[in-house]
Amino acid sequence: MKDPEPTRPIHYITSVGLAPYYTETSTETSLFSASDDKPRILLMGLRRSGKSSIQKLLCSCVFHKMSPNETLFLESTNKISKDDISSSSFVNFQIWDFPGQMDFFDPTFDSEMIFKGTGALIFVTDAQDDYVEALGRLHLTVSRAYKVNPDINFEVFIHKVDGLSDDHKIETQRDILQRANDDLADASLERVHLSFYLTSIYDHSIFESFSKVVQKLIPQLPTLENLLNIFISHSGIEKAFLFDVVSKVYITTDSSPVDRQSYELCCDMIDVVIDFSCIYGLTDAGSGCAYDKESLAIIRLNNTTVLYLKEVTKFLALICILREESFERKAIHEVFEVDTSTQGAVWRPVSSSGSNLSGLKYAALNGGAV
Amino acid sequence: MEKMSRVTTALSSNAISGRTMFCHLDAPANAISVCRDATQVVVAGRNIFKIYALEEEQFVEKLNLRVGRKPSLNFSCADVMWHQMEENLLATAATNGAVVTWNLGKPSRNKQDQLFTEHKRTVNKVCFHPTEVYMLLSGSQDGFMKCFDLRKKESVSTFSGQSESVRDVQFSMKDYFTFAASFENGNVQLWDIRRPDRYERMFTAHTGPVFCCDWHPDDRGWLATGGRDKMVKVWDMTTNRPKEIYCVQTIASVARIKWRPERKFHLATCSMMVDHNIYVWDVRRPFIPFATFEEHKDVTTGIVWRHQHDPHFLLSGSKDSTLYQHMFKDATRPVDKANPEGLCFGLLGDLAFAAKESLISSDVNRKPYPGGDRRYPIFFFKKPDPTEQFAHVSSALSVFETDLNSNHMDWFVKTAQLYLLSGKPFAELCDHNAKVAQELKRPQVSTTWTMLRIMFSDPANLTATGPNHNLSSKLGTLPLMNSFSMKEMGTESRLERSKGESRPDNTHLEPGTSHISNNNEENEETEGSEGQAEYMFGDAELDDDELYSMEHDNQTVLLSNTVLSLLPLPNRHEAEVTCLTPIESFSLISISQPLYSPHLPGSFFCPIAREMLSYYAEQGDVQMAVSVLIVLGERIRKEIDDLTQEHWYMSYIDLLQRFELWNVSNEVIKLSTCSAITCLNQASTTLHINCSNCKRPMSNKGWICDRCHQCASVCAVCHHVVKGLFVWCQGCSHGGHLEHIMNWLKSSAHCPAGCGHLCEYT
């Protein structure tokens, strides 16, 4: 097959081998169904391990960003702080930030209520501190939670690794992994799987790790990934991300490896776009959200790379990384023109994320057609 | 088809030949694989799936496997593998999660054999068992590895990596049942093919995803892994706990890794981001690649050694839609471009120097380094490898220590402390400084001071002190000084020696007077002590060229010195003139005669003095330049441009402060006439004021304390704020305007504030 020609009819390829995906997604209602059983993500860990910092970084409204340094001055959390970012984000989940000194044996601690319906439990440990105590706590937490709800994904963030050298980092991770798994084996909980991530609030590792956590909770991930695969293979794009604008978590990317630099570039691009929108995009009505469906940004880097951001829904943005040559061939340009022209038919009002998904589907399909 | 079924087993029977060559593909490649006899290569990508024959001079397209009018997604390959036992069997991993096998022996155009659609997400890797014909393993983004028996329609076992994406799977060469899998979370797992429930062993190999792994071909149980953290690590899997034995740092994330056949320590890597090159590393040398292939214009996506027993051919596919065959002898060798010498200073002035051994050993005896000795020679030898085209290189590392107790700069400190720069008549200052220099065994400096005194003194002073006496006494002491000057700084000694050697040129022009014969003696002295000089400053042995240039510099100064010393004399000591060379005396007379003045004005010497100062400054003796500048003051200042002066001052002050000569440095600052220098003293002075009422610090605006809201320093006599000089009694701390207090105390002995204290003004 030769290079795709831009003049080909738009809906030509929509039926080729893709129909199953389409029917599959059109029957979906929402990423996560009713709002009261939104999958919860619990943040737990010892006090001062950085839970609230993570929460603030991820969930703070984009228009009031908190810089990593500011999180130093956060007060200790005393009660469970529930952060529901479904109102401002594509990803419908709640983040519960637990105070570090939570006592599981407290009668008021309703583990039934808390762990039922929890999608993921993130345990935050401080890599710069002595983590023996944290590991004990981790074991306790995991065993309690597993008893109530064996479907929880257990994720361990080895946090504050910015202070460690590279060798030390991997050594710490290895050690924690070893001890944690040994503890679980001793308690004959071998079936519990812990995933470990090295994170720091000073770079993008926290966002990337959180992306992984969220991705595990998205049942449509394989479909989305395939669509992006098809999309990029037909349009000369090197890498495509589907970003949640608010939390800078990427919902999906194509299956090629994620490069740390490209990811960081994309995160920065979102920041730039949001900032620009705030400066120039606010209307008189001043709803506070300047980012809307008109949003589109192209950034040319001096290494012949082009970053292309296009909003997909109110909270989703598709960011593509492509070479200048393929950009000049207008492949991607056409794709998005198709998007806007068919919008009336395809993009329904942003009410449920299900329809957004089907919209995305079209974007990808049309991309294939160009 | 006949050609394909022919089996070549050993390399020796059919040696591979070829050259570096490439061919254009229609689309970017994702992966490549060769068949066992190294005659054909399969290229797979999202839009390409072809087989090329490797011929002597070129690639020839053999077969396009991507057939049909509407190619299905099953043709969009992320990975491909050619079976190493069965000539006609290929497997591909499709981006849509399908695992497809292809049978080239099929008579129809479509060679697709089996289709497994068990994975939900992209399959990243397929791998045939090295010895078992029907066993195929796949690793997918969805975190599962599946083992297929090609005689069955579905997978025989599923291995769960527990929701972490699998990036690579590789059957062990050594162990029939074992395979390794690498994961996006940085882990590597070892599995037994018979036990799908749980991994045998898991360890964290990298921070960030592990993209690839490869078992060492000579069943050692070595596993190489490469990850996004830009590292290549080699693990010894035979021990109880996997041990990292080698680690190579690359410049980009490592996407593919392949051990080089027949070379125990070599492996090839490529990156899928940023970097387009293919590197071959010797794992024992982790910082510089052994060889580099730089042909590709876009990232390399697949590498494979052409034959499993031939180390000289590497095939690679790239996103730039080319397929390359690289000859190892055409590779660039980064080592050749690297600088083979290294030099580094230690914290305490130690110096480490590494170079090729040949380079050092030839120099070792002849050229000991100044200020230290070779105490710790350490030798590194690399094992010679006769099969490579490299000359074996051994290098030596030497560490030189500086002698911390060396008194090299003592003269500087002493001079700085003893010099007088002001406070006395000009002539006395010069004399004093000349004496100081002489005591410190620095005859040239001493002479310069004397010279300056003669040049710039008033005639009255000149006659009073009698220059002739001065000169002869000075010259009388010269030889002695010179022989000692060896112990000073290297530059000094060079100066003296070249001076000594330049002398004979002068002397043969001059009729021998008592002064000159003195000079000659001095010469002999110098030359006699040259052995000592050499011992002290082995590397100060100058090349002839250098000597000449030095000589040239020196000669001007020297000549001007000799000439000048004699200049004031013509009037009264006629006989002395004979010691000048004819030309010089002519020029002197031509200037001095028409004037008929008894002596020359100081301004006449300014250009020479200026040159002299620049000379000293350039020789590194900025102390002399600045001292003379201060002592001469107005006489010379206009001659030298302000920036130069400022530069000298700054350097000298900096030096003084390094030696903690604060007082001298302060004096120099005070005496300097450059505005930029004098303000140095003002910049660092801060005055903190406390309120006299509440004893707390005053903010610096206004005269009212912002805490107690009262005027801070009120005169006890007139009750107004004192804005100028404030005098106060240290007994009762009352005070006021200087004038008022003085007047008051004339009339009364008590404090004007009425506290009853008996104040005393001195």
Side-chain angles (χ1 to χ4, degrees), chain A residues 16 18 21 169-170 173-174 177 181 190-191 193 195 198 208 212 216 221-222 225-226 229-230 232-233 255-260 323, chain B residues 46-47 70 73 95-96 120-122 124 141 162-164 167 184-185 187 198 202 204-207 211 228 233 235 241 273 276 298:
Chain A
V16 180
L18 303 179
Y21 299 129
K169 267 183 211 174
I170 199 161
Q173 184 181 2
R174 209 174 286 160
L177 185 148
N181 282 337
E190 291 100 338
R191 303 190 62 81
H193 176 67
S195 309
L198 294 170
E208 207 187 357
K212 296 261 177 66
K216 285 187 195 169
L221 183 67
E225 186 182 271
N226 268 333
N229 277 338
I230 299 162
I232 69 165
S233 67
S255 57
S256 63
V258 178
D259 183 28
R260 183 60 71 79
R323 290 301 176 98
Chain B
R46 287 194 198 278
N47 296 315
K70 282 186 200 164
L73 279 172
T95 48
N96 64 352
K120 282 207 194 77
R121 294 170 67 183
T122 303
N124 285 320
Q141 195 85 351
Q162 289 176 307
S163 69
E164 306 294 347
R167 275 290 163 192
E184 279 212 338
N185 61 352
N187 288 343
R198 192 172 168 81
M202 178 170 81
T204 306
H206 293 263
T207 51
F211 288 145
R228 196 176 73 178
K233 291 181 178 176
W235 305 86
R241 216 186 128 113
M273 314 281 169
H276 308 167
D298 202 337

Side-chain angles (χ1 to χ4, degrees), chain B residues 709-727:
Chain B
H709 303 289
Q710 285 190 11
C711 288
S713 40
V714 181
C715 174
V717 181
C718 68
H719 299 286
H720 285 118
V721 178
V722 184
K723 290 184 177 172
L725 285 174
F726 184 85
V727 66

Side-chain angles (χ1 to χ4, degrees), chain B residues 475 478 503 514-523 562:
Chain B
L475 284 176
L478 258 181
R503 281 282 163 82
S514 62
H515 294 143
I516 302 302
S517 63
N518 256 351
N519 270 345
N520 278 339
E521 277 172 34
E522 171 206 327
N523 264 341
T562 14

Side-chain angles (χ1 to χ4, degrees), chain B residues 86-127:
Chain B
E86 181 62 54
E87 295 292 310
N88 286 336
L89 199 53
L90 272 80
T92 59
T95 48
N96 64 352
V99 174
V100 193
T101 58
W102 310 80
N103 187 354
L104 300 178
K106 270 194 171 184
S108 66
R109 270 185 76 223
N110 191 346
K111 311 284 186 193
Q112 183 173 331
D113 191 16
Q114 295 245 52
L115 178 66
F116 305 97
T117 49
E118 293 184 27
H119 285 294
K120 282 207 194 77
R121 294 170 67 183
T122 303
V123 179
N124 285 320
K125 190 75 190 172
V126 283
C127 183

